[in-house]
Amino acid sequence: MPEENDKGAGKPTGLLGTVKETVKGDLAGLKGVLVEKGKEELAALKEPEKTQLFRSIFRVKRDETPRSRALSVLTNVFFHLHPAKINRDAVRYSYTWGMGGMSFYLFLVLTITGVLLMFYYHPTKGQAYRDILYLHHDVPFGQLLRNMHRWGAHLMIIAVWLHMLRVFLTGSYKRPREFNWCVGVILMVLTLLLSFTGYLLPDDQLGFWAVTVGTNMARATPLLGHEGPFGAQLGMTAFNDVRFALLGGSIVDANALLRAYIWHCIAIPLIASVFMGVHFWRVRKDGGISGPAPVMLESEMKEEKKGPRPVILRPSGTR
Amino acid sequence: MWGDWHQLWQIVSVPDNVPIVALLFLVPFYTWYGFREAFKHDRLIAQLETDPAMAKTHHRKPYPFKTGWERELHVWPYLMRIEFLAAVILTVLLMVWSITLNAPLEEPANPNLTMNPSKAPWYFLGLQEMLVYFDPWIAGVVMPTLIIIGLMAIPYIDANPLGNGYYTYKQRKFSIWTFLIGFLALWCVMIVIGTFIRGPGWMWFWPTQTWDHNRLDFAVNRNLHEIFGIENRWVAMGFGATVVGLFFVVSGYLMHRLCMVTEFSRKIYQRMTLLQIITLHTLLILMLSLPAKMAARLLFRIKYVLVTPWFNI
Ligand code: HEM
């Protein structure tokens, strides 16, 4: 009988035997499969761009075809600020000086270092100054953090001014970019105000007197300042004029510190971000970067066209 | 005392003054850099103007180009790699600067202890310098507002269609001169003066001159009507208003002559609307009022031109 033969061969019987048998079989099967799968995994490691993980993040094949190059710009949220292609001469440093991009990059650096500084800073009289000392002496890399934030702010102002100079010298404010120039002017004012409101925050002599000098001018605002032309006639006093509104008091004190803090850390960065969004959007919608465009001769000057402008603009640099 | 190099070093090495030292190099460098590019284009323009056949076929840029070459480049990688490189260089620069120089921290704020000189942050020193020549309502409120409005007005009053998207000097002489006088002479130079020249009491100290905290300037500034011996307040007011009005008329006329100097500028003038002309002239006159008042003060020691019970100019 076969059963008896099995028994005779010393095979285990009963529940234990069945379990043992099944596990053994499974193990043998698994061994083959695992080795197989392991090899597959190793092979996939060599081509990470074929994995599901990679493809879920980057949706385009990575190869050297023009189509993929274009798509890798267009399908990435950070890159899609750019067009897929640009005027061949626009990458010359001598054209843009890279100053707009550097202003933006410095804005990002300032945002990051600024948020880190906020972890250590209380906008209250007495505590504020101590927090700066704490940053200098006890916080790991605290001094470096503060230095980067301050020098970055100075650099950004210089970058923005040079950006404006190059936009002017290339005539890039001309049709159709008039409005984006205005957005830029607002961005420059916001950049200066960001720096100025930050100057008070260490609550030291330097910031205190600079902001005192600065806001004293607000006293002299025509109509709205108590020392300005026609201010007194309109009922302005040191306790209800624009300077009072800016400082939250008649002197630079605790309220002024809090107001500077809120303008500096929340309000102006938010407003500036919105304007930067508009600025970049308009650079694209106005036909991309303005040049280097083919030169136009005096003899080719035409009468100014009246009426609406084309909504879709041809990229500049092509004729 | 002169030849005080220590004093100069003390000013230059204030950490917050480093940006102005940088400005001193960066602004002239980029101005030169822009002009180099402009002259390159101007030479090409001159060539094309004398050779119409060439103008028909030329690609019209002073950069190499052959038929068959792509007119456009892929942003990835040709632009992205430049941006990446710029970010890296900028980060390294900022790191090195931040490691070598510490941000300043003075004594805790003390309203009872005035800093002398008490200076605004460096980027506003141009405005503070204006305080020497104008009352605060002009220097601190009206002028900044005018600068912002004037800058925003530029695209709408510049009727010259040439030079759009390329550097050129020849085709845009008037606008380039105006902008550079404003930016370089009236803004950057004022910042440099405010930083390096102005000492205690906002007095003028030449570089290497010691900042003497006890120095007193006995400048006797007079109002214009006093020079002419006018004593009656109302006559003086009328007189001052007339002088200011005359300044507007005369400088407005000079600006008009300036706009008519060359054939080209006459052509541009022709294209402008009345509103554009009025705005342009108003802004130019107001811009000119700063050097005009500076000259009146420095050459004739005039404090105010127009004195009224409400405001002085
Ligand atoms: C926070 C300040 C600013 C940021 C982050 C910024 C950023 C940029 C960037 C990245 C570009 C692309 C081209 C380039 O890099 O040159 C650009 C173009 C432009 N910007 Fe700004 N900008 C700022 C301030 C300004 C200011 C102050 C002005 C002028 C008053 C201005 C006017 C323009 C114009 C007209 C363009 C188009 C230029 C062209 O097509 O050639 N921007 N900006």
Side-chain angles (χ1 to χ4, degrees), chain A residues 96 100-101 103-104 156 160 163-164 166-167 172 177 180-181 184-185 187-188 191 276 279-280 283 288-290:
Chain A
T96 66
S103 310
F104 182 52
M156 180 168 168
V160 170
H163 174 57
M164 182 169 77
R166 99 87 186 135
V167 170
S172 301
R177 297 182 178 77
N180 212 16
W181 167 272
V185 173
L187 276 173
M188 178 181 72
T191 307
M276 276 185 210
H279 196 58
F280 301 156
V283 171
I289 204 80
S290 57

Side-chain angles (χ1 to χ4, degrees), chain B residues 121-278:
Chain B
W122 62 270
Y123 37 85
F124 285 149
L125 282 183
L127 301 176
Q128 203 178 352
E129 177 65 19
M130 268 185 233
L131 277 176
V132 177
Y133 307 102
F134 287 110
D135 274 358
W137 68 277
I138 299 183
V141 185
V142 175
M143 282 295 184
T145 313
L146 280 175
I147 293 172
I148 295 168
I149 292 178
L151 281 174
M152 290 219 214
I154 288 176
Y156 303 101
I157 52 180
D158 185 350
N160 179 0
L162 299 184
N164 185 345
Y166 53 92
Y167 290 92
T168 170
Y169 168 66
K170 202 175 109 148
Q171 294 183 329
R172 294 177 55 208
K173 284 185 191 160
F174 185 82
S175 61
I176 287 185
W177 270 100
T178 314
F179 188 81
L180 286 188
I181 287 176
F183 179 63
L184 298 180
L186 298 183
W187 188 249
C188 292
V189 170
M190 297 281 262
I191 288 175
V192 171
I193 291 177
T195 311
F196 296 119
I197 307 286
R198 294 298 179 177
W202 209 255
M203 280 184 283
W204 188 284
F205 291 89
W206 291 102
T208 79
Q209 205 179 349
T210 310
W211 280 12
D212 177 0
H213 282 259
N214 299 316
R215 182 174 128 183
L216 289 173
D217 266 355
F218 292 104
V220 195
N221 292 329
R222 306 152 296 175
N223 298 330
L224 187 65
H225 61 89
E226 287 160 4
I227 298 177
F228 285 86
I230 299 170
E231 270 160 34
N232 181 297
R233 210 171 87 181
W234 297 102
V235 178
M237 222 164 95
F239 174 72
T242 315
V243 173
V244 173
L246 264 177
F247 168 75
F248 267 74
V249 173
V250 171
S251 55
Y253 180 70
L254 286 179
M255 289 299 150
H256 174 74
R257 291 292 336 153
L258 200 63
C259 292
M260 303 292 257
V261 169
T262 66
E263 165 123 25
F264 179 68
S265 59
R266 279 197 293 277
K267 212 150 103 186
I268 301 301
Y269 213 55
Q270 213 73 78
R271 296 166 68 98
M272 292 174 73
T273 64
L274 183 64
L275 185 62
Q276 281 177 319
I277 293 176
I278 292 174

Side-chain angles (χ1 to χ4, degrees), chain A residues 269-281:
Chain A
L270 271 182
I271 300 170
S273 305
V274 171
F275 274 95
M276 276 185 210
V278 175
H279 196 58
F280 301 156
W281 168 264

